[in-house]
């Protein structure tokens, strides 16, 4: 019984112990399960952090096998991560190229053997991604047996930024080197001081200026370029500039190369870096300034001695200087010409004294004169004053924006000029009204005065006389008009006898046109010589007519010669006078003309031109018939010559509503002849065609080249489709002018154009043919050699 109770107690204790142990075991297992779950969650969290990390691990075992996430395979351009390191270069796309893979394998093997870490940068094939690799020996807990753990980082952005920073750093270094070189090569002394004011850096110009051997010697010895002055030593001035935080500029003197030089010194604070400075040699500028000031003072003294009034204004339009004559001409008191007075105030003061022209709107007039300061050229004005004074004002804008004003009193000069002009006009009118041809020569032999009859008597152009030629040049031109050119020297001898020898002599010459001129030289009281010329042709020919009355042919030639002389003398001179006075009236010298007056003057000039042209036609025709037509010999390009003739008549063609066709080319060649007279001949033919063609008609001008009997000839054909002419009318058209039976009267049978054209063409060695039929138009054919 006792045993059974003990057994029961023992069994109960055993059950209780087993139950306790089971409970404790159950609790311990639950704690381990919870700890394992926590570690699992932590492991998952760590794995997730690794996956989200910018770095990716790659485990390389000793046998070459590798383990890595899919993200690294994507970085390398691979679909899956291979099993071995050597397979990273397999395939044609993605992975690493052989060189980078070999470098990575060598670095991994070195780390596995020596535990030395490494860093590499690789770029997958066909990708711009830059991957940074950092490897070290893996912990045995990660992989026993000497594996290497490689961390991969996508450094594409970082690598680009690093390259950019490296480029900027390189450029900055280059810029800095260039700046240092520029400072070193600068021709002005430059330096840099520390915060304590001591020299820290100087350039070569500084070293040369202080006469040191090197920059280190200057810095070590603290050699200053500028001596201490009122502002203190250079170091103290630099510290003061640094304390003020603003540049300081001063003008000092220093000894450079044994000479005292003026220097402009500037100190520039650089913050914590110290103070930079440089010195500019302004000795030449200062010397120039001193010279300029001395020159201005001398100029003002000189301007006070001038008879003209002179005033200077600066760029702000303020008075700088006015000489005494300027004050006198404008009746200004000293306060009115004080320096600094505005330009407008000076004009106001002159107006108050009545020394300005009377104008309706003075403010506007004054504003216009204010624009003188910006005028691009010299401005000149005449100011007539109310008291009869005439001022000449010249305003010249200066390059610095100022103004130079010059005023001259021309009252007396204008009065004398008017008197002189009156005397000259009186003398000219007197000369021109004389029957004789007169000319006055100076002692040096130059022509001074002449009347119109002088030019007409010798047949000399007025343009030549206007140039006041020497008697030698004049006798050369006269010789061309004489029958015996050697007689021209007699004219020169007469002039020299009157001007130099003070003797009166005379002579007689015969002109090539048959006229005889008698001339004489008379000494004048003022040292000049007077040459008088008288045409005695009429008296001589009268004598010849009395002696040679039976020589009819000679008499006829004499009459023609006299006719030519009379035409030239009687028609040209009045026409020249009429035209000259009409031009004077049109120019307003006789007073301002009304609109009708200007039209009348223009009509007079047009009529004079037409009448002159007609007279020229008559003279050319008469001279040609007399065999005395002078011809120039020039080379004429026919096609441009004919083209110009046609273009000159474009207005008449347009007014007549006519069409003119010009055919030909430059192959027509050239001829030798007188272009003026040949143009007159061909122009008459074209004018006749224009006049004969009705509105809407057509005119043909054809130029060609022909070879006749072994010689080249140019043919000009001018035809129209006008009414045409019958044989009788054509004969009258070619008849022209004839002298009457008495030898003096002139009979006009038809127009002058066709006879004159024929004479001028034949004078050039050409042939002229005119054909016409009623209703079929007219054709003019000209053959020229």
């Amino acid at each position: 019984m006792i045993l059974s109770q003990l057994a029961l107690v023992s069994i109960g204790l055993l059950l209780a112990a087993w139950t306790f142990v089971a409970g404790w075991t159950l609790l311990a297992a639950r704690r381990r399960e919870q700890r394992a779950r926590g570690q699992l969650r932590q492991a998952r969290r760590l794995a997730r952090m690794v996956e989200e990390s910018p770095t990716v691990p790659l485990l390389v075992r000793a046998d070459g096998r590798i383990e890595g996430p899919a993200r690294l395979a994507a970085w390398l351009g691979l679909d899956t991560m291979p099993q071995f390191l050597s397979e990273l270069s397999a395939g044609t796309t993605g992975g690493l190229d052989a060189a980078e893979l070999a470098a990575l394998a060598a670095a991994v093997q070195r780390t596995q053997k020596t535990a030395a870490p490494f860093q590499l940068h690789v770029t997958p094939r066909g990708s711009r991604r830059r991957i940074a690799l950092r490897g070290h020996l893996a912990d045995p807990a990660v992989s026993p047996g000497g594996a290497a753990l490689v961390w991969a980082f996508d450094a594409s952005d970082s690598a680009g930024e690093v390259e950019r920073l490296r480029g900027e750093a390189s450029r900055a270094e280059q810029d800095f080197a260039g700046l240092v070189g520029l400072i070193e090569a600068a021709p002005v002394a430059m330096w840099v001081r520390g915060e304590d004011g001591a020299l820290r850096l100087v350039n070569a110009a500084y070293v040369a200026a202080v006469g040191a051997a090197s920059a280190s010697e200057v810095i070590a010895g603290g050699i200053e370029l500028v001596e201490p002055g009122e502002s203190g030593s250079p170091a103290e001035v630099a510290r003061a500039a640094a304390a003020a935080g603003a540049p300081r500029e001063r003008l000092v003197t220093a000894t450079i190369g044994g000479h005292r030089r003026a220097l402009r010194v500037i100190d520039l604070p650089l913050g914590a870096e110290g103070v930079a400075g440089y010195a500019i040699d302004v000795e030449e500028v200062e010397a120039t300034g001193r010279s300029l000031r001395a020159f201005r003072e001398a100029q003002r003294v000189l301007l006070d001695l001038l008879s003209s009034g002179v005033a200077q204004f600066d760029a702000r339009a303020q008075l700088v200087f006015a000489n005494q004559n300027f004050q006198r001409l404008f009746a200004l008191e000293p306060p009115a010409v004080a320096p600094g007075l505005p330009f407008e105030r000076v004009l106001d003061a002159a107006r108050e004294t009545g020394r300005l022209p009377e104008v309706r709107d003075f403010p506007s007039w004054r504003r216009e004169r204010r624009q003188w300061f910006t005028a691009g050229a010299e401005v000149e004005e005449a100011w007539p004053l109310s008291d009869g004074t005439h001022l000449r004002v010249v305003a010249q804008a200066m390059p610095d924006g100022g103004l130079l004003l010059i005023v001259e009193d021309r009252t007396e000069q204008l009065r004398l000029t008017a008197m002189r002009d009156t005397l000259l006009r009186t003398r000219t009118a007197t000369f021109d009204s004389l029957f004789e041809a007169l000319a006055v020569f100076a002692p040096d032999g130059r022509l001074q005065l002449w009347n119109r009859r002088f030019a007409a008597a010798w047949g000399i152009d007025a343009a030549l006389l206007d140039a006041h030629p020497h008697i030698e040049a004049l006798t050369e031109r006269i010789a061309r008009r004489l029958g015996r050119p050697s007689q021209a020297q007699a004219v020169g001898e007469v002039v020299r006898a009157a001007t130099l020898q003070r003797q009166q002599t005379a002579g007689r010459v015969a002109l090539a046109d048959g006229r005889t001129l008698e001339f004489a030289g008379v000494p004048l009281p003022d040292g000049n010589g007077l040459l008088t010329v008288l045409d005695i042709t009429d008296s001589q020919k009268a004598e010849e007519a009395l002696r040679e009355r039976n020589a009819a042919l000679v008499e006829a030639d004499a009459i023609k010669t006299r006719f030519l002389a009379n035409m030239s003398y009687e028609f040209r001179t009045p026409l020249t006078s009429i035209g000259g006075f009409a031009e004077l009236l049109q120019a307003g010298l006789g007073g301002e003309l009304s609109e009708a007056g200007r039209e009348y003057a223009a009509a007079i000039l047009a009529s004079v031109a037409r009448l002159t042209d007609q007279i020229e036609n008559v003279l050319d025709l008469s001279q040609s018939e007399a065999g005395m037509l002078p011809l120039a010999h020039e080379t004429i390009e026919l096609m441009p010559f004919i083209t110009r003739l046609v273009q000159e008549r474009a207005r008449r063609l347009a007014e007549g509503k006519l069409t003119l066709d010009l055919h030909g080319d430059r192959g027509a060649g050239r001829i030798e002849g007188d272009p003026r007279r040949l143009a007159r001949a061909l122009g008459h033919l074209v004018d006749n065609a224009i006049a004969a063609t009705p509105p809407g008609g057509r005119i043909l001008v054809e130029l060609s080249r022909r070879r006749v009997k072994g010689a080249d000839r140019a043919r000009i054909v001018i035809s129209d489709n006008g009414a045409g002419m019958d044989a009788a009318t054509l004969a009258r058209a070619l008849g022209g002018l004839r002298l009457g039976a008495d030898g003096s009267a002139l009979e006009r049978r038809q127009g002058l154009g066709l006879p004159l054209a024929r004479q001028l063409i034949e004078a050039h060695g050409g042939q002229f043919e005119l054909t016409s039929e009623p209703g079929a138009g007219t054709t003019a054919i000209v053959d020229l050699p």
Side-chain angles (χ1 to χ4, degrees), residues 480-535:
R480 304 175 187 177
R481 301 285 182 175
L482 300 181
R484 295 168 57 190
S486 59
Q487 290 183 333
Q489 296 298 325
V491 180
E493 294 298 331
V494 168
V495 172
R496 281 187 286 272
T499 55
L500 300 179
Q501 302 173 10
R502 313 300 296 165
Q503 295 178 359
Q504 182 173 343
T505 56
R508 180 181 295 182
V509 294
L511 273 65
D513 59 2
R515 291 182 298 142
T516 301
L517 301 180
E518 189 174 46
F519 55 90
V522 180
L524 296 179
D526 59 356
N528 294 331
L530 174 66
L531 178 65
T532 63
V533 182
L534 182 63
D535 188 347

Side-chain angles (χ1 to χ4, degrees), residues 663-702:
H663 296 167
D665 54 28
R666 296 186 180 273
R670 64 187 67 177
I671 65 171
E672 293 290 331
D674 189 330
R676 182 175 69 86
R677 288 190 164 88
L678 190 58
R680 176 174 296 175
L682 297 177
H684 280 309
L685 299 180
V686 177
D687 291 339
N688 286 343
I690 293 174
T693 305
R698 182 178 297 271
I699 299 172
L700 172 64
V701 178
E702 184 176 5

Side-chain angles (χ1 to χ4, degrees), residues 566-594:
N566 288 337
M567 288 291 290
S568 175
Y569 181 77
E570 296 296 339
F571 286 136
R572 287 184 178 177
T573 301
L575 285 177
T576 303
S577 301
I578 294 171
F581 286 118
E583 289 176 353
L584 293 177
L585 291 175
Q586 192 178 47
L589 296 182
E592 185 66 22
L593 296 178
S594 63

Side-chain angles (χ1 to χ4, degrees), residues 309-539:
V310 180
Q312 292 177 321
F313 295 86
D314 58 18
R316 296 175 298 176
Q318 294 182 353
L319 183 64
V320 176
F321 170 77
N323 68 350
Q324 297 179 0
N325 279 312
F326 186 88
Q327 303 177 37
R328 178 183 59 80
L329 289 174
F330 289 102
L332 299 176
E333 297 295 332
V337 290
L341 198 67
F343 176 74
E344 291 80 1
R345 290 283 302 277
V346 175
L347 293 181
D348 292 340
R351 185 180 183 227
E352 292 175 357
T353 59
R355 305 301 291 175
L356 289 184
E358 294 294 336
V359 293
R360 179 176 300 178
D361 189 354
F362 178 73
S364 298
W365 182 88
R366 184 176 57 189
R367 284 193 298 271
E368 292 175 358
R369 301 308 172 278
R370 181 64 171 80
Q371 295 176 358
W372 285 348
F373 285 83
T374 57
E378 178 184 285
V379 180
E380 180 176 343
E381 291 186 356
W383 288 2
L385 305 185
S386 57
D387 60 355
T389 302
H390 291 268
L391 298 181
R392 174 177 175 264
V393 180
V394 179
Q396 176 65 59
M398 306 303 292
D400 60 355
L403 181 70
L404 178 65
L405 201 61
I406 302 175
V407 184
E408 180 184 3
D409 188 349
R410 304 192 64 186
T411 306
E412 185 65 18
Q413 182 179 358
L414 291 177
R415 187 181 67 81
L416 295 176
T417 301
M419 293 176 59
R420 174 179 176 274
D421 291 343
T422 301
L423 292 175
L424 289 177
R425 286 194 296 269
T426 302
R427 183 186 63 187
T428 302
T430 303
F431 268 36
D432 288 340
S433 63
L434 296 176
F435 182 76
E436 295 91 345
L438 301 177
V440 178
F441 289 86
D444 61 356
R446 289 197 171 275
L447 179 65
Q448 298 296 319
L449 301 173
W450 65 94
N451 63 355
R452 295 173 182 171
R453 295 183 183 273
F454 183 80
W458 295 109
I460 300 175
D461 294 336
L464 175 64
L465 301 180
D466 290 339
H468 299 277
H470 194 271
I471 184 60
E472 296 295 338
L474 199 59
T475 53
E476 291 179 3
R477 187 61 63 91
I478 291 174
R480 304 175 187 177
R481 301 285 182 175
L482 300 181
R484 295 168 57 190
S486 59
Q487 290 183 333
Q489 296 298 325
V491 180
E493 294 298 331
V494 168
V495 172
R496 281 187 286 272
T499 55
L500 300 179
Q501 302 173 10
R502 313 300 296 165
Q503 295 178 359
Q504 182 173 343
T505 56
R508 180 181 295 182
V509 294
L511 273 65
D513 59 2
R515 291 182 298 142
T516 301
L517 301 180
E518 189 174 46
F519 55 90
V522 180
L524 296 179
D526 59 356
N528 294 331
L530 174 66
L531 178 65
T532 63
V533 182
L534 182 63
D535 188 347
I536 61 173
T537 305
D538 294 342
S539 60

